[in-house]
mmCIF file of all heavy atoms in Angstrom:
data_model
loop_
_atom_site.group_PDB
_atom_site.id
_atom_site.type_symbol
_atom_site.label_atom_id
_atom_site.label_comp_id
_atom_site.label_asym_id
_atom_site.label_seq_id
_atom_site.Cartn_x
_atom_site.Cartn_y
_atom_site.Cartn_z
ATOM 1 N N ALA C 1 0.840 -1.199 0.000
ATOM 2 C CA ALA C 1 0.000 0.000 0.000
ATOM 3 C C ALA C 1 0.880 1.256 0.000
ATOM 4 O O ALA C 1 0.585 2.216 -0.711
ATOM 5 C CB ALA C 1 -0.937 -0.008 1.195
ATOM 6 N N VAL C 2 1.970 1.232 0.764
ATOM 7 C CA VAL C 2 2.888 2.363 0.798
ATOM 8 C C VAL C 2 3.479 2.608 -0.593
ATOM 9 O O VAL C 2 3.642 3.749 -1.022
ATOM 10 C CB VAL C 2 4.008 2.127 1.839
ATOM 11 C CG1 VAL C 2 5.120 3.157 1.702
ATOM 12 C CG2 VAL C 2 3.430 2.154 3.248
ATOM 13 N N GLU C 3 3.762 1.529 -1.317
ATOM 14 C CA GLU C 3 4.323 1.638 -2.673
ATOM 15 C C GLU C 3 3.264 1.994 -3.721
ATOM 16 O O GLU C 3 3.599 2.227 -4.877
ATOM 17 C CB GLU C 3 4.978 0.322 -3.084
ATOM 18 C CG GLU C 3 6.232 -0.018 -2.311
ATOM 19 C CD GLU C 3 6.813 -1.341 -2.777
ATOM 20 O OE1 GLU C 3 6.929 -1.551 -4.007
ATOM 21 O OE2 GLU C 3 7.144 -2.165 -1.908
ATOM 22 N N GLY C 4 1.981 1.971 -3.346
ATOM 23 C CA GLY C 4 0.916 2.273 -4.291
ATOM 24 C C GLY C 4 0.527 1.083 -5.151
ATOM 25 O O GLY C 4 -0.148 1.236 -6.163
ATOM 26 N N ILE C 5 0.935 -0.114 -4.738
ATOM 27 C CA ILE C 5 0.628 -1.324 -5.506
ATOM 28 C C ILE C 5 -0.735 -1.881 -5.101
ATOM 29 O O ILE C 5 -1.500 -2.339 -5.940
ATOM 30 C CB ILE C 5 1.744 -2.368 -5.310
ATOM 31 C CG1 ILE C 5 3.040 -1.831 -5.931
ATOM 32 C CG2 ILE C 5 1.353 -3.711 -5.908
ATOM 33 C CD1 ILE C 5 4.268 -2.645 -5.600
ATOM 34 N N LEU C 6 -1.034 -1.868 -3.815
ATOM 35 C CA LEU C 6 -2.335 -2.278 -3.305
ATOM 36 C C LEU C 6 -2.947 -1.096 -2.567
ATOM 37 O O LEU C 6 -2.229 -0.213 -2.088
ATOM 38 C CB LEU C 6 -2.205 -3.463 -2.335
ATOM 39 C CG LEU C 6 -1.785 -4.792 -2.928
ATOM 40 C CD1 LEU C 6 -1.600 -5.831 -1.820
ATOM 41 C CD2 LEU C 6 -2.798 -5.295 -3.935
ATOM 42 N N ILE C 7 -4.256 -1.120 -2.455
ATOM 43 C CA ILE C 7 -4.954 -0.071 -1.720
ATOM 44 C C ILE C 7 -5.257 -0.606 -0.327
ATOM 45 O O ILE C 7 -5.869 -1.662 -0.174
ATOM 46 C CB ILE C 7 -6.247 0.339 -2.448
ATOM 47 C CG1 ILE C 7 -5.893 0.955 -3.805
ATOM 48 C CG2 ILE C 7 -7.057 1.314 -1.608
ATOM 49 C CD1 ILE C 7 -7.078 1.233 -4.686
ATOM 50 N N SER C 8 -4.812 0.115 0.672
ATOM 51 C CA SER C 8 -5.066 -0.273 2.054
ATOM 52 C C SER C 8 -6.522 0.032 2.398
ATOM 53 O O SER C 8 -7.097 1.002 1.903
ATOM 54 C CB SER C 8 -4.137 0.491 2.989
ATOM 55 O OG SER C 8 -4.339 0.061 4.315
ATOM 56 N N LYS C 9 -7.078 -0.804 3.237
ATOM 57 C CA LYS C 9 -8.458 -0.611 3.680
ATOM 58 C C LYS C 9 -8.489 -0.569 5.196
ATOM 59 O O LYS C 9 -7.529 -0.957 5.871
ATOM 60 C CB LYS C 9 -9.333 -1.768 3.180
ATOM 61 C CG LYS C 9 -9.403 -1.867 1.671
ATOM 62 C CD LYS C 9 -10.237 -3.056 1.249
ATOM 63 C CE LYS C 9 -10.253 -3.162 -0.269
ATOM 64 N NZ LYS C 9 -10.930 -4.373 -0.711
ATOM 65 N N ASP C 10 -9.596 -0.142 5.726
ATOM 66 C CA ASP C 10 -9.783 -0.150 7.170
ATOM 67 C C ASP C 10 -9.885 -1.590 7.658
ATOM 68 O O ASP C 10 -10.340 -2.476 6.925
ATOM 69 C CB ASP C 10 -11.056 0.606 7.547
ATOM 70 C CG ASP C 10 -10.959 2.098 7.253
ATOM 71 O OD1 ASP C 10 -9.849 2.656 7.368
ATOM 72 O OD2 ASP C 10 -11.998 2.686 6.905
ATOM 73 N N ALA C 11 -9.502 -1.819 8.899
ATOM 74 C CA ALA C 11 -9.549 -3.157 9.481
ATOM 75 C C ALA C 11 -10.941 -3.774 9.348
ATOM 76 O O ALA C 11 -11.074 -4.960 9.048
ATOM 77 C CB ALA C 11 -9.116 -3.116 10.941
ATOM 78 N N VAL C 12 -11.967 -2.987 9.540
ATOM 79 C CA VAL C 12 -13.329 -3.508 9.470
ATOM 80 C C VAL C 12 -13.619 -4.131 8.105
ATOM 81 O O VAL C 12 -14.316 -5.148 8.004
ATOM 82 C CB VAL C 12 -14.374 -2.428 9.840
ATOM 83 C CG1 VAL C 12 -14.426 -1.321 8.794
ATOM 84 C CG2 VAL C 12 -15.750 -3.046 10.039
ATOM 85 N N ASP C 13 -13.055 -3.563 7.043
ATOM 86 C CA ASP C 13 -13.268 -4.115 5.702
ATOM 87 C C ASP C 13 -12.674 -5.519 5.579
ATOM 88 O O ASP C 13 -13.255 -6.390 4.944
ATOM 89 C CB ASP C 13 -12.667 -3.199 4.641
ATOM 90 C CG ASP C 13 -13.373 -1.855 4.565
ATOM 91 O OD1 ASP C 13 -14.618 -1.836 4.645
ATOM 92 O OD2 ASP C 13 -12.676 -0.832 4.440
ATOM 93 N N TYR C 14 -11.519 -5.718 6.194
ATOM 94 C CA TYR C 14 -10.895 -7.050 6.142
ATOM 95 C C TYR C 14 -11.681 -8.053 6.981
ATOM 96 O O TYR C 14 -11.844 -9.204 6.584
ATOM 97 C CB TYR C 14 -9.440 -6.980 6.602
ATOM 98 C CG TYR C 14 -8.571 -6.201 5.644
ATOM 99 C CD1 TYR C 14 -8.094 -4.944 5.972
ATOM 100 C CD2 TYR C 14 -8.256 -6.722 4.393
ATOM 101 C CE1 TYR C 14 -7.310 -4.226 5.089
ATOM 102 C CE2 TYR C 14 -7.477 -6.005 3.501
ATOM 103 C CZ TYR C 14 -7.008 -4.759 3.860
ATOM 104 O OH TYR C 14 -6.239 -4.053 2.975
ATOM 105 N N TYR C 15 -12.154 -7.639 8.138
ATOM 106 C CA TYR C 15 -12.976 -8.550 8.947
ATOM 107 C C TYR C 15 -14.255 -8.931 8.213
ATOM 108 O O TYR C 15 -14.670 -10.084 8.225
ATOM 109 C CB TYR C 15 -13.295 -7.940 10.313
ATOM 110 C CG TYR C 15 -12.120 -7.992 11.266
ATOM 111 C CD1 TYR C 15 -11.438 -6.839 11.608
ATOM 112 C CD2 TYR C 15 -11.689 -9.205 11.801
ATOM 113 C CE1 TYR C 15 -10.349 -6.884 12.470
ATOM 114 C CE2 TYR C 15 -10.605 -9.263 12.663
ATOM 115 C CZ TYR C 15 -9.941 -8.099 12.990
ATOM 116 O OH TYR C 15 -8.861 -8.151 13.829
ATOM 117 N N GLU C 16 -14.889 -7.952 7.560
ATOM 118 C CA GLU C 16 -16.116 -8.237 6.819
ATOM 119 C C GLU C 16 -15.872 -9.196 5.658
ATOM 120 O O GLU C 16 -16.781 -9.916 5.250
ATOM 121 C CB GLU C 16 -16.734 -6.939 6.288
ATOM 122 C CG GLU C 16 -17.339 -6.088 7.378
ATOM 123 C CD GLU C 16 -17.858 -4.748 6.875
ATOM 124 O OE1 GLU C 16 -17.546 -4.359 5.735
ATOM 125 O OE2 GLU C 16 -18.575 -4.088 7.644
ATOM 126 N N ALA C 17 -14.668 -9.217 5.128
ATOM 127 C CA ALA C 17 -14.352 -10.052 3.965
ATOM 128 C C ALA C 17 -13.471 -11.246 4.319
ATOM 129 O O ALA C 17 -12.949 -11.904 3.419
ATOM 130 C CB ALA C 17 -13.665 -9.198 2.899
ATOM 131 N N VAL C 18 -13.314 -11.569 5.586
ATOM 132 C CA VAL C 18 -12.375 -12.627 5.981
ATOM 133 C C VAL C 18 -12.664 -13.947 5.257
ATOM 134 O O VAL C 18 -11.752 -14.685 4.889
ATOM 135 C CB VAL C 18 -12.332 -12.811 7.517
ATOM 136 C CG1 VAL C 18 -13.645 -13.401 8.041
ATOM 137 C CG2 VAL C 18 -11.143 -13.664 7.920
ATOM 138 N N GLN C 19 -13.921 -14.233 4.987
ATOM 139 C CA GLN C 19 -14.282 -15.486 4.323
ATOM 140 C C GLN C 19 -13.822 -15.533 2.876
ATOM 141 O O GLN C 19 -13.782 -16.601 2.267
ATOM 142 C CB GLN C 19 -15.794 -15.755 4.422
ATOM 143 C CG GLN C 19 -16.651 -14.843 3.580
ATOM 144 C CD GLN C 19 -16.885 -13.460 4.188
ATOM 145 O OE1 GLN C 19 -16.471 -13.158 5.303
ATOM 146 N NE2 GLN C 19 -17.557 -12.602 3.441
ATOM 147 N N GLU C 20 -13.431 -14.411 2.295
ATOM 148 C CA GLU C 20 -12.931 -14.361 0.920
ATOM 149 C C GLU C 20 -11.452 -14.722 0.832
ATOM 150 O O GLU C 20 -10.952 -15.034 -0.242
ATOM 151 C CB GLU C 20 -13.127 -12.953 0.333
ATOM 152 C CG GLU C 20 -14.576 -12.541 0.205
ATOM 153 C CD GLU C 20 -14.734 -11.145 -0.398
ATOM 154 O OE1 GLU C 20 -13.715 -10.465 -0.660
ATOM 155 O OE2 GLU C 20 -15.885 -10.756 -0.623
ATOM 156 N N PHE C 21 -10.742 -14.675 1.953
ATOM 157 C CA PHE C 21 -9.286 -14.808 1.966
ATOM 158 C C PHE C 21 -8.794 -16.237 2.157
ATOM 159 O O PHE C 21 -9.375 -17.014 2.903
ATOM 160 C CB PHE C 21 -8.681 -13.954 3.085
ATOM 161 C CG PHE C 21 -8.526 -12.512 2.726
ATOM 162 C CD1 PHE C 21 -9.569 -11.624 2.921
ATOM 163 C CD2 PHE C 21 -7.344 -12.039 2.184
ATOM 164 C CE1 PHE C 21 -9.439 -10.291 2.595
ATOM 165 C CE2 PHE C 21 -7.199 -10.703 1.846
ATOM 166 C CZ PHE C 21 -8.247 -9.831 2.054
ATOM 167 N N MET C 22 -7.673 -16.501 1.492
ATOM 168 C CA MET C 22 -6.844 -17.677 1.747
ATOM 169 C C MET C 22 -5.511 -17.132 2.236
ATOM 170 O O MET C 22 -5.089 -16.046 1.814
ATOM 171 C CB MET C 22 -6.618 -18.503 0.474
ATOM 172 C CG MET C 22 -7.870 -19.091 -0.132
ATOM 173 S SD MET C 22 -8.588 -20.407 0.866
ATOM 174 C CE MET C 22 -7.354 -21.684 0.712
ATOM 175 N N VAL C 23 -4.848 -17.870 3.112
ATOM 176 C CA VAL C 23 -3.536 -17.454 3.596
ATOM 177 C C VAL C 23 -2.569 -18.625 3.499
ATOM 178 O O VAL C 23 -2.969 -19.792 3.507
ATOM 179 C CB VAL C 23 -3.580 -16.938 5.058
ATOM 180 C CG1 VAL C 23 -4.418 -15.669 5.158
ATOM 181 C CG2 VAL C 23 -4.087 -18.001 6.015
ATOM 182 N N VAL C 24 -1.297 -18.287 3.406
ATOM 183 C CA VAL C 24 -0.222 -19.272 3.459
ATOM 184 C C VAL C 24 0.617 -18.907 4.668
ATOM 185 O O VAL C 24 0.995 -17.743 4.848
ATOM 186 C CB VAL C 24 0.646 -19.244 2.176
ATOM 187 C CG1 VAL C 24 1.832 -20.188 2.301
ATOM 188 C CG2 VAL C 24 -0.201 -19.598 0.962
ATOM 189 N N GLU C 25 0.869 -19.898 5.508
ATOM 190 C CA GLU C 25 1.711 -19.636 6.658
ATOM 191 C C GLU C 25 2.927 -20.549 6.638
ATOM 192 O O GLU C 25 2.884 -21.643 6.071
ATOM 193 C CB GLU C 25 0.938 -19.756 7.976
ATOM 194 C CG GLU C 25 0.296 -21.081 8.236
ATOM 195 C CD GLU C 25 -0.562 -21.086 9.502
ATOM 196 O OE1 GLU C 25 -0.679 -20.040 10.174
ATOM 197 O OE2 GLU C 25 -1.104 -22.134 9.818
ATOM 198 N N ARG C 26 3.990 -20.058 7.233
ATOM 199 C CA ARG C 26 5.237 -20.805 7.306
ATOM 200 C C ARG C 26 5.547 -21.045 8.776
ATOM 201 O O ARG C 26 5.340 -20.169 9.617
ATOM 202 C CB ARG C 26 6.355 -19.997 6.651
ATOM 203 C CG ARG C 26 7.698 -20.708 6.647
ATOM 204 C CD ARG C 26 8.752 -19.833 6.088
ATOM 205 N NE ARG C 26 8.907 -18.694 6.996
ATOM 206 C CZ ARG C 26 9.659 -17.647 6.745
ATOM 207 N NH1 ARG C 26 10.314 -17.555 5.624
ATOM 208 N NH2 ARG C 26 9.755 -16.655 7.611
ATOM 209 N N THR C 27 6.050 -22.225 9.063
ATOM 210 C CA THR C 27 6.464 -22.567 10.415
ATOM 211 C C THR C 27 7.984 -22.574 10.460
ATOM 212 O O THR C 27 8.629 -23.211 9.621
ATOM 213 C CB THR C 27 5.910 -23.953 10.820
ATOM 214 O OG1 THR C 27 4.489 -23.941 10.655
ATOM 215 C CG2 THR C 27 6.249 -24.290 12.251
ATOM 216 N N ASP C 28 8.555 -21.873 11.438
ATOM 217 C CA ASP C 28 10.012 -21.853 11.555
ATOM 218 C C ASP C 28 10.506 -23.029 12.396
ATOM 219 O O ASP C 28 9.710 -23.833 12.883
ATOM 220 C CB ASP C 28 10.517 -20.506 12.074
ATOM 221 C CG ASP C 28 10.112 -20.211 13.518
ATOM 222 O OD1 ASP C 28 9.721 -21.144 14.258
ATOM 223 O OD2 ASP C 28 10.181 -19.044 13.913
ATOM 224 N N GLU C 29 11.802 -23.103 12.578
ATOM 225 C CA GLU C 29 12.418 -24.230 13.294
ATOM 226 C C GLU C 29 12.000 -24.306 14.757
ATOM 227 O O GLU C 29 12.074 -25.365 15.383
ATOM 228 C CB GLU C 29 13.954 -24.173 13.163
ATOM 229 C CG GLU C 29 14.611 -22.935 13.723
ATOM 230 C CD GLU C 29 14.586 -21.745 12.783
ATOM 231 O OE1 GLU C 29 14.205 -21.876 11.610
ATOM 232 O OE2 GLU C 29 14.924 -20.640 13.238
ATOM 233 N N ARG C 30 11.529 -23.210 15.331
ATOM 234 C CA ARG C 30 11.055 -23.193 16.712
ATOM 235 C C ARG C 30 9.567 -23.526 16.830
ATOM 236 O O ARG C 30 9.030 -23.577 17.926
ATOM 237 C CB ARG C 30 11.332 -21.829 17.339
ATOM 238 C CG ARG C 30 12.816 -21.494 17.453
ATOM 239 C CD ARG C 30 13.056 -20.162 18.164
ATOM 240 N NE ARG C 30 12.198 -19.080 17.706
ATOM 241 C CZ ARG C 30 12.537 -18.203 16.752
ATOM 242 N NH1 ARG C 30 13.684 -18.282 16.158
ATOM 243 N NH2 ARG C 30 11.702 -17.239 16.411
ATOM 244 N N GLY C 31 8.910 -23.703 15.688
ATOM 245 C CA GLY C 31 7.489 -24.014 15.699
ATOM 246 C C GLY C 31 6.577 -22.806 15.625
ATOM 247 O O GLY C 31 5.351 -22.953 15.669
ATOM 248 N N SER C 32 7.146 -21.602 15.522
ATOM 249 C CA SER C 32 6.339 -20.388 15.377
ATOM 250 C C SER C 32 5.849 -20.281 13.936
ATOM 251 O O SER C 32 6.573 -20.615 13.007
ATOM 252 C CB SER C 32 7.165 -19.150 15.719
ATOM 253 O OG SER C 32 7.575 -19.197 17.062
ATOM 254 N N THR C 33 4.631 -19.784 13.789
ATOM 255 C CA THR C 33 4.085 -19.612 12.444
ATOM 256 C C THR C 33 3.941 -18.136 12.122
ATOM 257 O O THR C 33 3.748 -17.307 13.011
ATOM 258 C CB THR C 33 2.708 -20.292 12.292
ATOM 259 O OG1 THR C 33 1.799 -19.713 13.231
ATOM 260 C CG2 THR C 33 2.801 -21.792 12.519
ATOM 261 N N ALA C 34 4.059 -17.840 10.834
ATOM 262 C CA ALA C 34 3.876 -16.467 10.351
ATOM 263 C C ALA C 34 3.234 -16.530 8.970
ATOM 264 O O ALA C 34 3.536 -17.435 8.175
ATOM 265 C CB ALA C 34 5.221 -15.749 10.269
ATOM 266 N N LEU C 35 2.362 -15.585 8.694
ATOM 267 C CA LEU C 35 1.759 -15.511 7.369
ATOM 268 C C LEU C 35 2.801 -15.033 6.370
ATOM 269 O O LEU C 35 3.519 -14.077 6.623
ATOM 270 C CB LEU C 35 0.574 -14.550 7.352
ATOM 271 C CG LEU C 35 -0.668 -14.943 8.155
ATOM 272 C CD1 LEU C 35 -1.794 -13.946 7.900
ATOM 273 C CD2 LEU C 35 -1.122 -16.339 7.852
ATOM 274 N N VAL C 36 2.879 -15.729 5.227
ATOM 275 C CA VAL C 36 3.798 -15.319 4.160
ATOM 276 C C VAL C 36 3.052 -15.007 2.867
ATOM 277 O O VAL C 36 3.665 -14.642 1.876
ATOM 278 C CB VAL C 36 4.901 -16.373 3.910
ATOM 279 C CG1 VAL C 36 5.821 -16.487 5.117
ATOM 280 C CG2 VAL C 36 4.311 -17.717 3.524
ATOM 281 N N GLY C 37 1.729 -15.142 2.876
ATOM 282 C CA GLY C 37 0.960 -14.804 1.687
ATOM 283 C C GLY C 37 -0.524 -14.748 1.991
ATOM 284 O O GLY C 37 -1.013 -15.399 2.920
ATOM 285 N N CYS C 38 -1.226 -13.938 1.195
ATOM 286 C CA CYS C 38 -2.681 -13.855 1.308
ATOM 287 C C CYS C 38 -3.254 -13.482 -0.048
ATOM 288 O O CYS C 38 -2.576 -12.934 -0.905
ATOM 289 C CB CYS C 38 -3.110 -12.837 2.362
ATOM 290 S SG CYS C 38 -2.726 -11.120 1.944
ATOM 291 N N GLY C 39 -4.494 -13.812 -0.238
ATOM 292 C CA GLY C 39 -5.220 -13.437 -1.437
ATOM 293 C C GLY C 39 -6.698 -13.681 -1.200
ATOM 294 O O GLY C 39 -7.076 -14.487 -0.350
ATOM 295 N N ALA C 40 -7.527 -12.983 -1.950
ATOM 296 C CA ALA C 40 -8.973 -13.084 -1.751
ATOM 297 C C ALA C 40 -9.683 -13.292 -3.083
ATOM 298 O O ALA C 40 -9.201 -12.869 -4.132
ATOM 299 C CB ALA C 40 -9.510 -11.822 -1.079
ATOM 300 N N LEU C 41 -10.816 -13.953 -3.007
ATOM 301 C CA LEU C 41 -11.716 -14.095 -4.150
ATOM 302 C C LEU C 41 -13.004 -13.364 -3.789
ATOM 303 O O LEU C 41 -13.689 -13.732 -2.834
ATOM 304 C CB LEU C 41 -12.025 -15.563 -4.447
ATOM 305 C CG LEU C 41 -13.076 -15.772 -5.542
ATOM 306 C CD1 LEU C 41 -12.516 -15.364 -6.903
ATOM 307 C CD2 LEU C 41 -13.561 -17.206 -5.557
ATOM 308 N N HIS C 42 -13.305 -12.336 -4.558
ATOM 309 C CA HIS C 42 -14.523 -11.551 -4.347
ATOM 310 C C HIS C 42 -15.482 -11.855 -5.494
ATOM 311 O O HIS C 42 -15.107 -11.718 -6.661
ATOM 312 C CB HIS C 42 -14.180 -10.055 -4.325
ATOM 313 C CG HIS C 42 -15.358 -9.177 -4.113
ATOM 314 N ND1 HIS C 42 -15.975 -9.052 -2.883
ATOM 315 C CD2 HIS C 42 -16.036 -8.376 -4.970
ATOM 316 C CE1 HIS C 42 -16.982 -8.209 -3.002
ATOM 317 N NE2 HIS C 42 -17.038 -7.791 -4.254
ATOM 318 N N ILE C 43 -16.695 -12.264 -5.169
ATOM 319 C CA ILE C 43 -17.695 -12.563 -6.195
ATOM 320 C C ILE C 43 -18.378 -11.260 -6.588
ATOM 321 O O ILE C 43 -18.877 -10.515 -5.743
ATOM 322 C CB ILE C 43 -18.725 -13.596 -5.703
ATOM 323 C CG1 ILE C 43 -18.008 -14.880 -5.276
ATOM 324 C CG2 ILE C 43 -19.779 -13.864 -6.780
ATOM 325 C CD1 ILE C 43 -17.135 -15.511 -6.344
ATOM 326 N N MET C 44 -18.390 -11.019 -7.892
ATOM 327 C CA MET C 44 -18.962 -9.778 -8.412
ATOM 328 C C MET C 44 -20.336 -9.993 -9.036
ATOM 329 O O MET C 44 -21.181 -9.107 -9.007
ATOM 330 C CB MET C 44 -18.018 -9.171 -9.446
ATOM 331 C CG MET C 44 -16.677 -8.792 -8.843
ATOM 332 S SD MET C 44 -15.430 -8.379 -10.063
ATOM 333 C CE MET C 44 -16.035 -6.811 -10.636
ATOM 334 N N TRP C 45 -20.531 -11.157 -9.654
ATOM 335 C CA TRP C 45 -21.797 -11.459 -10.323
ATOM 336 C C TRP C 45 -21.897 -12.961 -10.460
ATOM 337 O O TRP C 45 -20.989 -13.711 -10.097
ATOM 338 C CB TRP C 45 -21.862 -10.751 -11.685
ATOM 339 C CG TRP C 45 -23.260 -10.660 -12.226
ATOM 340 C CD1 TRP C 45 -23.785 -11.368 -13.261
ATOM 341 C CD2 TRP C 45 -24.315 -9.837 -11.738
ATOM 342 N NE1 TRP C 45 -25.098 -11.029 -13.451
ATOM 343 C CE2 TRP C 45 -25.453 -10.084 -12.522
ATOM 344 C CE3 TRP C 45 -24.415 -8.913 -10.705
ATOM 345 C CZ2 TRP C 45 -26.672 -9.449 -12.316
ATOM 346 C CZ3 TRP C 45 -25.628 -8.273 -10.497
ATOM 347 C CH2 TRP C 45 -26.741 -8.554 -11.303
ATOM 348 N N GLU C 46 -23.006 -13.424 -11.007
ATOM 349 C CA GLU C 46 -23.273 -14.852 -11.168
ATOM 350 C C GLU C 46 -22.103 -15.606 -11.790
ATOM 351 O O GLU C 46 -21.765 -16.703 -11.354
ATOM 352 C CB GLU C 46 -24.516 -15.017 -12.047
ATOM 353 C CG GLU C 46 -24.878 -16.447 -12.363
ATOM 354 C CD GLU C 46 -26.092 -16.547 -13.277
ATOM 355 O OE1 GLU C 46 -26.604 -15.505 -13.741
ATOM 356 O OE2 GLU C 46 -26.517 -17.680 -13.519
ATOM 357 N N ASP C 47 -21.471 -15.025 -12.794
ATOM 358 C CA ASP C 47 -20.413 -15.721 -13.522
ATOM 359 C C ASP C 47 -19.047 -15.052 -13.383
ATOM 360 O O ASP C 47 -18.106 -15.405 -14.070
ATOM 361 C CB ASP C 47 -20.766 -15.794 -15.012
ATOM 362 C CG ASP C 47 -20.826 -14.409 -15.660
ATOM 363 O OD1 ASP C 47 -21.038 -13.418 -14.937
ATOM 364 O OD2 ASP C 47 -20.655 -14.326 -16.884
#
């Protein structure tokens, strides 16, 4: 968003759309996990 590549939204917008998102998480050698990717599918119309 800082680079102007994506548009940042308010937190509430992400919570409202959480069901649209998929995430990829990575586990490190200590067993801690961190998100390394996200993407969403938004339905616009029937097709």
Side-chain angles (χ1 to χ4, degrees):
V2 169
E3 292 180 47
I5 294 170
L6 291 176
I7 296 172
S8 183
K9 298 178 182 174
D10 293 327
V12 68
D13 294 319
Y14 293 108
Y15 284 109
E16 289 176 347
V18 69
Q19 71 281 356
E20 296 181 357
F21 279 87
M22 297 290 292
V23 295
V24 175
E25 59 185 1
R26 181 184 65 187
T27 305
D28 67 17
E29 61 278 351
R30 296 184 314 266
S32 297
T33 60
L35 293 186
V36 294
C38 67
L41 174 69
H42 180 74
I43 302 304
M44 297 169 72
W45 198 253
E46 177 182 5
D47 64 337

